[in-house]
Amino acid sequence: MNGYPMNTISDDTTADGAQGEGLVTTRVVNGVMAITLNEPKTGNALDVAMTETLADALERASGLASVHCVLLRSSGRHFCTGGNVKDMEAGADLMQGSVEAVRERLAGSLHRITRALHALPVPSIAAVNGAAVGAGFDIALMCDLRIAAENARFAESFLRLGLVSGIGGAWFLARIVGVAKAMELTLTSEFIDAHRALDVGIVSHVVADDALEAQAQLLAEKIAGSPPHALRMAKQLVRQSAEATLPAALEMAASMQAILLCGEEHKAAVRRFLR
């Protein structure tokens, strides 16, 4: 690594909370918290237990100073197949009750994932294998970077079921691929493969299926090895500059750079660079 304090390896743990024990596991290795969706029999479909357990893990990651990158991945054949269609048919779980009850449940459960991923102070990477469909696709879009296996397939598939994205995917998709391409993917519900996702900028890398876990961890550890305060500021600067005017972006850049130039982290990095 690059001389910054890192965790070694922690044991696999489940996210906090009695509900959904084992649905999401976490492990910290070399400053990277790997958060694994762990319900392969359903394709890691999202229900109340899965969403709340994932949100718990993401919120916990934000508070750990020893975590410098979050890697979101999955067990089984698929990354995440979105909402559970059987629950939709039965009007159960997330879909249970009146319009107002469902709206409040979505806002209080699914939206916790959206807010937690977007609020992470450290970079996040989604390692996508198999299907990333509907809300599963949207969760991948919420990460800062995405790396895909050759077998990955993506779809903003809500219209197939007479729905729209209820988790904020439209906001993220349009910012990643532009409004016109986001509109096309939304209105057609088209499935695209990993290489087309690479072409339109949804993913940064496509790797062999059996190399995904190792390559994603390697990328995450490379990012986590950066000076930690500068790393957090770099993410914040890119995120905020994308929404700011040029004068405001320049002011942010000058303020952050001044803080870093006068800090010990920068001085230590220069000494290492000059060795």
Side-chain angles (χ1 to χ4, degrees), residues 7-30:
N7 283 43
T8 51
I9 299 178
S10 69
D11 292 333
D12 285 342
T13 59
T14 57
D16 294 333
Q19 269 195 320
E21 183 176 356
L23 293 175
V24 175
T25 66
T26 64
R27 194 181 191 195
V28 179
V29 178
N30 293 329

Side-chain angles (χ1 to χ4, degrees), residues 12 63 78 84 95 119 149 158 175 194 217-218 240 249-250 260:
D12 285 342
H78 300 297
N84 191 314
M95 298 80 180
F158 297 98
R175 282 162 171 76
Q217 182 70 27
L218 189 65
Q240 294 186 5
L250 289 171
L260 292 170

Side-chain angles (χ1 to χ4, degrees), residues 25-72:
T25 66
T26 64
R27 194 181 191 195
V28 179
V29 178
N30 293 329
V32 176
M33 177 179 273
I35 299 177
T36 304
L37 306 180
N38 190 40
E39 185 71 346
K41 66 183 180 182
T42 67
N44 298 306
L46 298 171
D47 57 15
V48 170
M50 174 66 90
T51 58
E52 292 186 351
T53 309
L54 175 56
D56 287 344
L58 291 166
E59 289 166 359
R60 190 171 70 250
S62 282
L64 295 176
S66 59
V67 171
H68 307 305
C69 187
V70 168
L71 176 59
L72 183 60

Side-chain angles (χ1 to χ4, degrees), residues 229-274:
H229 292 104
L231 178 65
R232 286 160 172 77
M233 283 194 183
K235 171 175 173 169
Q236 183 182 0
L237 183 60
V238 172
R239 173 82 61 77
Q240 294 186 5
S241 294
E243 306 288 338
T245 63
L246 178 57
L250 289 171
E251 179 61 31
M252 281 188 289
S255 297
M256 290 181 182
Q257 191 77 314
I259 292 169
L260 292 170
L261 280 168
C262 295
E264 181 54 37
E265 184 178 271
H266 160 67
K267 295 171 185 176
V270 170
R271 288 194 296 269
R272 279 189 294 273
F273 182 81
L274 293 175

Side-chain angles (χ1 to χ4, degrees), residues 60-275:
R60 190 171 70 250
S62 282
L64 295 176
S66 59
V67 171
H68 307 305
C69 187
V70 168
L71 176 59
L72 183 60
R73 60 189 188 183
S74 63
S75 62
R77 296 173 52 230
H78 300 297
F79 177 75
C80 178
T81 54
N84 191 314
V85 179
K86 291 182 179 179
D87 286 342
M88 295 178 195
E89 182 182 28
D93 202 72
L94 282 168
M95 298 80 180
Q96 184 176 359
S98 66
V99 169
E100 184 59 24
V102 172
R103 189 200 68 79
E104 290 182 1
R105 194 174 299 114
L106 292 173
S109 184
L110 278 173
H111 291 185
R112 278 186 66 204
I113 296 173
T114 310
R115 290 190 294 267
L117 267 171
H118 195 58
L120 278 173
V122 298
S124 56
I125 302 170
V128 180
N129 64 295
V133 178
F137 182 26
D138 291 347
I139 288 172
L141 294 173
M142 293 169 198
C143 294
D144 298 311
L145 298 171
R146 287 153 295 282
I147 180 171
E150 291 272 1
N151 69 6
R153 299 293 182 271
F154 304 85
E156 193 74 348
S157 57
F158 297 98
L159 274 179
R160 292 171 181 254
L161 299 174
L163 297 171
V164 298
S165 173
I167 194 173
W171 192 89
F172 292 93
L173 184 59
R175 282 162 171 76
I176 292 168
V177 302
V179 172
K181 179 56 69 172
M183 194 71 75
E184 178 187 339
L185 293 173
T186 299
L187 299 182
T188 64
S189 297
E190 178 184 9
F191 277 79
I192 62 172
D193 64 23
H195 288 283
R196 182 145 178 236
L198 179 65
D199 289 342
V200 299
I202 290 171
V203 303
S204 301
H205 305 280
V206 177
V207 300
D209 297 350
D210 60 3
L212 178 64
E213 183 174 347
Q215 289 299 309
Q217 182 70 27
L218 189 65
L219 176 61
E221 288 188 16
K222 180 178 181 180
I223 290 170
S226 299
H229 292 104
L231 178 65
R232 286 160 172 77
M233 283 194 183
K235 171 175 173 169
Q236 183 182 0
L237 183 60
V238 172
R239 173 82 61 77
Q240 294 186 5
S241 294
E243 306 288 338
T245 63
L246 178 57
L250 289 171
E251 179 61 31
M252 281 188 289
S255 297
M256 290 181 182
Q257 191 77 314
I259 292 169
L260 292 170
L261 280 168
C262 295
E264 181 54 37
E265 184 178 271
H266 160 67
K267 295 171 185 176
V270 170
R271 288 194 296 269
R272 279 189 294 273
F273 182 81
L274 293 175
R275 282 177 188 165

